[in-house]
Amino acid sequence: MVDEDSEAPYILAQDIEGFFADSRHAHDEDVLIFGSAVGPIRVGADLLDVELQVVDAMGRMIGRYFVGRVGLRSEFGAESGRASPGFVATFYGYTSPYAAAGAVWRRWATGGPMRRGEWARSPVSCHASWLHVAQNAWFAAGHAAQRYGVGDICELDGELILGEASFYCALGESVNGPGGYFGSTLDGLADCLATTRATSSMFELIWKRYDDTRERMGEALVSPIIEVLREFGVRVTLR
């Protein structure tokens, strides 16, 4: 946890509990911060302009959340029975509505998504969290919303696509490699396509097992995606 402007650290945490929360419980629980303060911190006071940064095993920042005001309610030690010492805090209702994102970040912190299709090995309920992490990490790394791949052909495997979040996980990987981002909504896709068209040539998208995708996602979601792809000059081949 750092000051947003200066990036001076407040707390170095090994883990956080209660921030990545199901929307039904987002405001019900305190946030537990497992770690230690870098400098003097007064329990019972608020930290202002706080940014929560996700770092990998090498200490490099791979994701970020602007939290704003954080209230430190109390401190607990090793004798508390919890995994490690830390702080009980309130983020004043601000949490991430992607309950599985914490687990995905922990995986990425150990080396990032190195294998193709890794997102598809997780339950479909986790695909939205994977997509969220991919998007957050993409922009935290300084990437623009565009294609960075160099090949003329990208492939989608419709067998892996089980819903809208799955589709954008698959598309980001197809276009920009494992962990890549290329939109998370139709508007986001259009932004990526517009930037790509302005900076490089378009590509062909070969959509394998397209009928499987259409059956699972529904025509109302699939047709506008194809329309936007073709509108920006992507050659879409359905197989």
Side-chain angles (χ1 to χ4, degrees):
M1 294 175 60
V2 305
D3 177 82
E4 183 199 21
D5 293 328
S6 67
E7 296 202 355
Y10 289 122
I11 297 173
L12 296 181
Q14 294 77 46
D15 205 351
I16 189 168
E17 184 179 306
F19 177 69
F20 301 105
D22 186 292
S23 58
R24 293 171 298 177
H25 304 100
H27 307 294
D28 295 345
E29 299 179 1
D30 293 324
V31 175
L32 301 183
I33 304 167
F34 297 95
S36 58
V38 175
I41 285 182
R42 186 161 61 89
V43 174
D46 287 352
L47 303 175
L48 303 178
D49 298 326
V50 173
E51 182 176 86
L52 177 65
Q53 294 186 350
V54 185
V55 299
D56 66 11
M58 302 296 292
R60 296 171 297 202
M61 192 268 292
I62 59 174
R64 64 201 321 167
Y65 298 87
F66 178 69
V67 178
R69 186 165 61 114
V70 171
L72 297 180
R73 291 183 171 173
S74 61
E75 188 173 3
F76 55 85
E79 73 283 356
S80 67
R82 295 187 172 99
S84 62
F87 301 89
V88 179
T90 178
F91 284 11
Y92 295 99
Y94 179 80
T95 55
S96 171
Y98 299 95
V104 179
W105 278 124
R106 283 189 286 273
R107 166 65 188 91
W108 283 40
T110 62
M114 304 302 293
R115 297 171 294 176
R116 282 191 170 272
E118 187 174 345
W119 60 271
R121 299 184 182 95
S122 61
V124 65
S125 60
C126 297
H127 291 178
S129 293
W130 183 282
L131 177 62
H132 161 75
V133 169
Q135 181 177 7
N136 188 307
W138 187 256
F139 292 114
H143 295 307
Q146 69 177 72
R147 181 182 184 232
Y148 287 84
V150 295
D152 294 330
I153 298 176
C154 299
E155 294 186 353
L156 278 180
D157 186 352
E159 187 175 23
L160 302 179
I161 299 172
L162 305 176
E164 186 175 15
S166 303
F167 168 78
Y168 285 108
C169 287
L171 181 66
E173 180 175 83
S174 173
V175 173
N176 281 317
Y181 168 81
F182 204 71
S184 60
T185 63
L186 196 62
D187 288 342
L189 172 59
D191 288 342
C192 291
L193 289 167
T195 306
T196 299
R197 185 170 63 179
T199 58
S200 63
S201 60
M202 278 306 189
F203 54 95
E204 179 181 5
L205 181 68
I206 298 177
W207 197 328
K208 299 179 179 179
R209 299 179 178 87
Y210 166 74
D211 288 341
D212 291 343
T213 305
R214 183 176 58 183
E215 180 178 346
R216 290 166 179 157
M217 289 182 62
E219 188 71 32
L221 287 176
V222 171
S223 291
I225 288 172
I226 294 176
E227 290 176 9
V228 168
L229 287 166
R230 287 175 170 162
E231 177 185 346
F232 282 94
V234 177
R235 301 179 300 280
V236 182
T237 300
L238 307 178
R239 292 185 178 174

